[in-house]
């Protein structure tokens, strides 16, 4: 069966051009880039080229890019790096809708004595800038606010936030894992101190990320060891994946505007097609400031997990925000923070597109989604039957 992959916020296909670029470095070009002979220093040169490609995608300087193993590591390295460099400051701020890579670290920091603020969002997933300003104190060590939310695609006001924080001299980290490669990012106008990105969200492989550290930002690495990455991240470099990340960045930068309009058109077609065919369907998140590829849709009176399993029967891959914990249905934490009522949040599905998504796939998805929802609403299918069949 053909796979219709509409889960690109979970991960993306590694682009063929990226795989081709990486292959020699998984085979015959295996030297350690720290070695002095040219077999090694050639790898070093290739890493530096990848650094330039990544920097160009976000308009940073190449020396401000540090390669890491993933987005989660970038987030952890950023936050720990700042706290270690400013040990006297004990107040930290974030939002209620961060990815676990930031949320769980903030919760841990709270447990070990940091004063922690989790800023609320409104019903459209937007941050209140007055609440942000009011939360800041002279003791604030770091503010971490995501660029784009992974479930709803809502974009946060990064430019305004960086202005507020720069004025006060407070360090600003942004988790841009869902934004890089999907929307324009210019770190000469949006100026956080630190930014996290992850390759597998924009057609590089899994297990490679980067952390942007603005020049002059006080930072102590949490991973200690060798002198790689100018002493900012120890460990022998993942040469092939770094080269893949560089290539993916180059491709993303070259086609960014075309991809945005193509993907947005298909996303809008998907939403409109579903809304036209079905009653009691709602789009979650700020419609005016969203990633172009993300549609978070609530189907009232539908169980989202059952719907995912039924869509799977047609080869359609998507995500449900709800989680089943010990048999209890837990609605998405993000939608709960937005005040979405339970009968909507439990039937919320995230569809996320990429440049590989075709119009034919969207037409097929609209048809199947509409029939699956109608089927579920007619109550003709029992959840247990579906789960039994899927196992
Ligand atoms: N931050 C956000 C917003 C994400 O969506 C993800 C992955 O889903 C991560 C961080 C973690 O990235 P990685 O999977 O590379 O660790």
């Amino acid at each position: 069966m053909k796979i219709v992959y509409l889960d690109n916020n979970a991960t993306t296909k590694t682009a063929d051009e990226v795989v081709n670029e990486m292959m020699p470095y998984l085979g015959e070009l295996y030297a350690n880039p720290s070695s002095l002979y040219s077999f090694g220093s050639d790898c070093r040169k290739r890493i530096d080229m990848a650094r330039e490609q990544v920097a160009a995608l976000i308009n940073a300087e190449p020396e401000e890019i540090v390669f890491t193993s993933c987005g989660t590591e970038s987030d952890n390295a950023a936050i720990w790096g700042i706290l270690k460099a400013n040990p006297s400051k004990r107040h930290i701020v974030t939002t209620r809708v961060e990815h676990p890579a930031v949320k769980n670290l903030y919760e841990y920091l709270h447990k070990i004595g940091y004063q922690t603020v989790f800023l609320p969002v409104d019903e459209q997933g937007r941050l209140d800038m007055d609440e942000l300003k009011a939360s800041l104190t002279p003791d604030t060590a770091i503010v971490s606010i995501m660029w784009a939310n992974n479930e709803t695609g809502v974009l946060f006001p990064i430019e305004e936030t960086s202005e507020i924080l720069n004025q006060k001299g407070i360090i600003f980290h942004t988790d841009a894992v869902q934004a890089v490669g999907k929307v324009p990012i210019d770190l000469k106008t949006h100026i956080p101190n630190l930014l996290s990105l992850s390759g597998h969200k924009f057609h590089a492989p899994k297990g490679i990320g980067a952390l942007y550290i603005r020049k002059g930002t006080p930072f102590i690495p949490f991973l200690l060891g060798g002198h790689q990455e100018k002493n900012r991240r120890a460990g022998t470099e993942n040469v092939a994946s770094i080269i893949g990340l560089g290539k993916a960045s180059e491709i993303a930068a070259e086609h960014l505007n075309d991809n945005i309009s193509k993907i947005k058109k298909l996303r809008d077609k998907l939403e409109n097609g579903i809304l036209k065919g079905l009653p009691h369907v709602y789009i979650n998140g700020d419609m005016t400031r969203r990633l172009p590829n993300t549609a978070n849709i609530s189907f009232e009176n539908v169980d989202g997990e059952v719907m995912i399993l039924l869509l799977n029967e047609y080869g359609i891959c998507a995500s449900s925000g709800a989680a089943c914990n010990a048999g209890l249905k837990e609605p998405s934490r993000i939608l709960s923070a937005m005040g979405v009522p339970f009968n909507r949040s439990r039937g919320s599905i995230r569809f996320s597109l990429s440049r590989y998504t075709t119009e034919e796939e969207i037409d097929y998805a609209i048809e199947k989604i509409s029939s699956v929802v109608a089927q579920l609403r007619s109550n003709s299918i029992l959840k247990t039957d579906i789960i039994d069949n899927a196992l």
Side-chain angles (χ1 to χ4, degrees), residues 312-328:
N312 177 52
E313 302 281 302
Y314 297 106
I316 298 173
C317 306
S319 276
S320 126
C324 202
N325 278 338
L328 287 173

Side-chain angles (χ1 to χ4, degrees), residues 8-26:
N8 287 280
N9 286 7
T11 196
T12 57
K13 168 189 154 72
T14 308
D16 293 343
E17 304 91 310
V18 169
V19 174
N20 291 341
E21 204 92 351
M22 290 171 64
M23 284 314 274
Y25 296 88
L26 291 168

